[in-house]
Amino acid sequence: MDQYSSSFVDTSLDLTIGVTRMRVEEDSSPANALVDELNRVSAENKKLSEMLTLMCENYNVLRKQLMEYVNKSNTTERDQTSPTKKRKSPARDEAFSSAIIGGVSESSSTDQDDQYLCKKQREETVMKEKVSRVYYKTEASDTTLVVKDGYQWRKYGQKVTRDNPSPRAYFKCACAPSCSVKKKVQRSVEDQSVLVATYEGEHNHPMPSQIDSNAGLNRYISVGGSAPSAATAKKSSSSSLAEPVTTIDLTESKKPMSPTSRIDFPEVHKLLVEQMASSLTKDPNFTAALAAAVTGRLYQQNQTEK
DNA sequence: CGCGTTTGACCAGCGC
DNA sequence: GCGCTGGTCAAACGCG
């Protein structure tokens, strides 16, 4: 944890603003006083903007640290758990073949061992690059295995697995026929109120409903992964009450995220900044507290300079 | 009647 | 080879 202690970020709000003292001459005209007041307010505004920028930068640093921490946790967790046995599925091969278009083909090899190795590597590659897991908080009484992630899904199967008494539902992306993204949804063994959605593959199309990104950003914490975008569907065939609370990326790859499959971080950052600024300025308590702090500070400065 | 969901049957990988 | 298991298919069903 040295890296975190060394890069400590002070997130406390510094309300010490270097506003120039209000120079209102006793014998000056009201117009000059207004101009001075305007200049003072402008300076305050500028200072507050700088503070907000600083806050956002601090947020960015903290978010980066969180990502590093989560990735670290995932790596150690992955090392401890043995890889799940999974048979090869045609869809997976299809996904891989599309992924290696233009690359070096290994199909020329006729050796069975090589083919086996290639198949294994293929599966591992697919697993690393395409699989992500999302946890959705929902009502424990809600028995529907439906989650709200902005895409339309078609359910094609349900199965009770051995390791979990809750049934597992299988979904295919219904937004585009060519999209081979699949999703498995199952209740967590530990917490029945948590839905675990496992996404396989990457959407090759934009989200059907570019919705209310603010609502999606409210509670979605994305840390890597590839499939789901942070959004909430206005209406989908599988409309859900469950909302995503966190994403744990099972992949180790640091490849850039697809613009079609998720919102880029700068975009998220921008939206978050806007949302933060909006919520702060709309909050009467915050503005009142800020005004009190500023006026108090000004009063204090005036007192010390007298 | 069309579309989506349900559910039992089937398929394929893996361990013994 | 056989059984277990996860994943997929497709006919039946329900709903608007």
Side-chain angles (χ1 to χ4, degrees):
Chain A
M1 283 301 172
D2 290 344
Q3 56 172 328
Y4 300 119
S5 56
S6 63
S7 59
F8 172 75
V9 177
D10 183 13
T11 57
S12 59
L13 270 173
D14 183 12
L15 290 175
T16 305
I17 52 175
V19 182
T20 53
R21 187 167 66 96
M22 198 164 41
R23 294 166 182 262
V24 182
E25 303 291 338
E26 288 182 358
D27 56 347
S28 65
S29 65
N32 285 340
L34 282 175
V35 170
D36 286 340
E37 178 72 7
L38 186 63
N39 289 336
R40 186 183 64 82
V41 171
S42 298
E44 281 181 27
N45 194 18
K46 187 180 176 183
K47 211 68 192 175
L48 287 171
S49 300
E50 289 172 3
M51 283 168 59
L52 187 60
T53 306
L54 190 66
M55 279 173 61
C56 292
E57 285 172 1
N58 290 338
Y59 157 78
N60 218 19
V61 173
L62 281 172
R63 185 178 56 79
K64 191 178 173 183
Q65 289 181 2
L66 177 67
M67 279 183 63
E68 288 172 357
Y69 177 73
V70 171
N71 283 338
K72 203 174 177 180
S73 303
N74 285 342
T75 304
T76 54
E77 187 180 341
R78 191 168 41 243
D79 291 344
Q80 287 168 358
T81 57
S82 61
T84 56
K85 292 182 293 183
K86 264 192 168 182
R87 72 190 175 101
K88 181 190 67 173
S89 70
R92 203 165 294 196
D93 278 352
E94 192 180 322
F96 171 74
S97 62
S98 65
I100 62 160
I101 285 174
V104 179
S105 171
E106 82 288 354
S107 59
S108 58
S109 170
T110 54
D111 185 59
Q112 284 187 352
D113 289 341
D114 283 352
Q115 284 181 351
Y116 179 75
L117 281 175
C118 286
K119 196 170 74 177
K120 283 286 182 186
Q121 287 168 358
R122 226 181 331 191
E123 285 175 2
E124 283 172 9
T125 305
V126 172
M127 287 290 287
K128 276 188 178 180
E129 291 184 355
K130 308 274 186 181
V131 178
S132 65
R133 186 173 295 177
V134 183
Y135 294 88
Y136 294 87
K137 183 75 177 172
T138 181
E139 296 290 330
S141 57
D142 185 16
T143 56
T144 58
L145 290 170
V146 179
V147 295
K148 178 171 57 180
D149 55 18
Y151 289 93
Q152 292 184 347
W153 300 93
R154 176 183 170 82
K155 189 178 180 181
Y156 66 91
Q158 184 166 317
K159 195 90 173 175
V160 177
T161 57
R162 215 180 69 146
D163 57 338
N164 194 335
S166 302
R168 175 185 297 170
Y170 299 90
F171 296 91
K172 278 179 183 173
C173 182
C175 303
S178 58
C179 183
S180 60
V181 176
K182 291 173 190 172
K183 172 173 87 169
K184 290 179 284 190
V185 181
Q186 191 173 29
R187 294 200 172 276
S188 172
V189 185
E190 292 84 6
D191 190 352
Q192 293 290 304
S193 64
V194 174
L195 287 175
V196 183
T198 306
Y199 294 85
E200 293 181 18
E202 214 166 347
H203 294 281
N204 56 8
H205 56 85
M207 190 181 293
S209 49
Q210 280 298 348
I211 359 109
D212 202 23
S213 53
N214 284 339
L217 289 167
N218 277 342
R219 293 181 54 188
Y220 188 85
I221 304 170
S222 172
V223 189
S226 61
S229 288
T232 315
K234 276 178 183 170
K235 179 187 183 300
S236 75
S237 61
S238 45
S239 60
S240 164
L241 298 172
E243 294 181 15
V245 290
T246 178
T247 299
I248 294 180
D249 183 19
L250 298 178
T251 69
E252 205 168 6
S253 63
K254 298 287 186 289
K255 73 184 180 83
M257 285 168 286
S258 165
T260 61
S261 64
R262 68 169 52 247
I263 297 171
D264 289 333
F265 277 129
E267 197 63 25
V268 174
H269 182 214
K270 187 181 170 186
L271 284 166
L272 275 171
V273 168
E274 289 172 359
Q275 199 174 8
M276 284 168 64
S278 167
S279 59
L280 285 176
T281 52
K282 282 175 185 172
D283 187 354
N285 291 333
F286 175 77
T287 50
L290 189 62
V294 170
T295 52
R297 184 68 188 174
L298 286 171
Y299 178 76
Q300 194 178 4
Q301 282 183 341
N302 285 334
Q303 292 296 314
T304 52
E305 287 181 22
K306 273 184 184 173

